[in-house]
Amino acid sequence: MVEVREAAKVLSQARRVVVFTGAGISAESGVPTFRDALTGLWERFDAQALATPQAFQDDPDLVWGWYEWRRTVIRRVHPNPGHEAVAAIEARTPRSVVITQNVDDLHERAGSAGPLHLHGSLFEPRCASCARSAPVPGGEEPSEGRRLAPPRCEHCSGPVRPGVVWFGEALPEQILETAVQEATDCDVLLTIGASGLVYPAAEIPKVAAMFGGTVIQVNPQPTPLDAVAGINLHGTAATILPTLVA
Ligand SMILES: CC(C)NC(=O)[C@H](Cc1c[nH]c2ccccc12)NC(=O)[C@H](CCCC/N=C(/NCCC(=O)O)S[C@H]1O[C@H](COP(=O)(O)OP(=O)(O)OC[C@H]2O[C@@H](n3cnc4c(N)ncnc43)[C@H](O)[C@@H]2O)[C@@H](O)[C@H]1O)NC(=O)OCc1ccccc1
Ligand SMILES: [Zn+2]
């Protein structure tokens, strides 16, 4: 593909690269994308409705069960060649950063140094009352589609919640500020497996384009980010990304 060669050239000459990722980069590891993470008990729910403070207030066992199930799925899978190619791009670029919407730890396990998690992580539970961090539950793996009572905080016995950003909640300020700054200063922004539908995250590729960065999109489907992508690579992360670093 001519575009792949062009993208590889632009990437190899870049001094400052931002890699922006969504659920699509983890799909080939066996992690359901956000909208596909609703099976069994949860399939009658809308992910956007489940991932809210209101849902946790109304039915904490339902929501905690969903997150614990997603965490066990992540534990069982491995980074794919897409995650590995991103770590390779970082290793050979003078300055680079991964900005992810994903709450999994597959970038870290692939060797990426300090990805910025805009929407938090499944591995940083905290107390919903006093906000102190809580231990990541070990023990028995919840089976798919089961309610599970959230643990209690050892400080104030409030309910422990997942360390993710729910709809209607603000993103972590420092992380968002750093992400916008990196997008402003980059030569190239590579957006991978992001539907570009959730805000303010979806602004990041647009900021890069606004400040003169080249946006390269890797996605099998068209997205609203097509509008800012100088190079569009229609394919999957694990097949396309290795060819960009070959
Ligand atoms: C849906 C949208 C309309 N709504 C929002 O954006 C809302 C509201 C809003 C704010 N500003 C707006 C402006 C306009 C419109 C709406 C809004 N935003 C918020 O509520 C945000 C918070 C948003 C964050 C929510 N949390 C998540 N995740 C953590 C939890 C959890 O994971 O459970 S969002 C979650 O969904 C998003 C899913 O998107 P993708 O990752 O892109 O995944 P998706 O499944 O959609 O698509 C997958 C893509 O991959 C592609 N693909 C598939 N396979 C592959 C493959 N193999 N390879 C490559 N690509 C592939 C597919 O083609 C597809 O394109 C991710 O961001 C993910 O993190 N907070 C807030 O605004 O707070 C205010 C505020 C401000 C100050 C003070 C107080 C309050
Ligand atoms: Zn507490």
Side-chain angles (χ1 to χ4, degrees):
M1 247 207 268
V2 180
E3 296 92 339
V4 167
R5 272 202 301 283
E6 192 198 347
K9 185 160 147 280
V10 169
L11 260 176
S12 65
Q13 292 164 347
R15 306 202 53 71
R16 299 184 70 149
V17 171
V18 165
V19 180
F20 178 75
T21 65
I25 195 169
S26 297
E28 290 155 288
S29 292
V31 181
T33 60
F34 193 68
R35 274 156 197 63
D36 300 343
L38 293 171
T39 57
L41 167 69
W42 301 297
E43 72 193 348
R44 55 195 165 84
F45 295 92
D46 163 20
Q48 245 165 267
L50 268 181
T52 61
Q54 194 55 49
F56 187 67
Q57 190 156 344
D58 300 348
D59 192 341
D61 298 14
L62 177 77
V63 173
W64 183 257
W66 185 46
Y67 281 97
E68 280 306 280
W69 172 68
R70 289 171 64 187
R71 196 170 56 77
T72 31
V73 168
I74 304 288
R75 276 220 168 117
R76 290 191 196 131
V77 302
H78 305 286
N80 65 59
H83 297 104
E84 284 146 14
V86 167
I89 290 168
E90 285 179 275
R92 66 172 205 185
T93 306
R95 179 159 172 169
S96 63
V97 64
V98 173
I99 300 172
T100 188
Q101 300 169 80
N102 300 342
V103 292
D104 64 47
D105 63 347
L106 297 177
H107 279 302
E108 288 87 343
R109 286 158 57 187
S112 284
L116 300 176
H117 284 269
L118 292 174
H119 297 158
S121 159
L122 288 172
F123 300 91
E124 292 166 10
R126 66 175 188 270
C127 173
S129 312
C130 73
R132 287 190 187 100
S133 71
V136 176
E140 50 102 20
E141 299 219 342
S143 60
E144 187 174 342
R146 270 213 17 233
R147 281 184 164 73
L148 198 62
R152 309 309 291 191
C153 168
E154 54 200 42
H155 305 282
C156 77
S157 66
V160 171
R161 57 161 286 172
V164 301
V165 178
W166 280 329
F167 286 94
E169 291 186 323
L171 275 58
E173 208 170 330
Q174 193 44 56
I175 290 178
L176 181 58
E177 238 172 69
T178 308
V180 170
Q181 194 53 53
E182 293 286 349
T184 307
D185 301 340
C186 74
D187 310 327
V188 173
L189 181 141
L190 187 52
T191 173
I192 307 162
S195 58
L197 298 172
V198 173
Y199 287 81
E203 296 292 351
I204 302 284
K206 298 177 184 172
V207 168
M210 224 185 322
F211 286 85
T214 302
V215 175
I216 301 171
Q217 177 168 230
V218 177
N219 197 313
Q221 305 294 331
T223 75
L225 297 173
D226 288 32
V228 295
I231 306 173
N232 245 315
L233 306 176
H234 292 297
T236 73
T239 54
I240 297 258
L241 291 170
T243 66
L244 294 181
V245 287

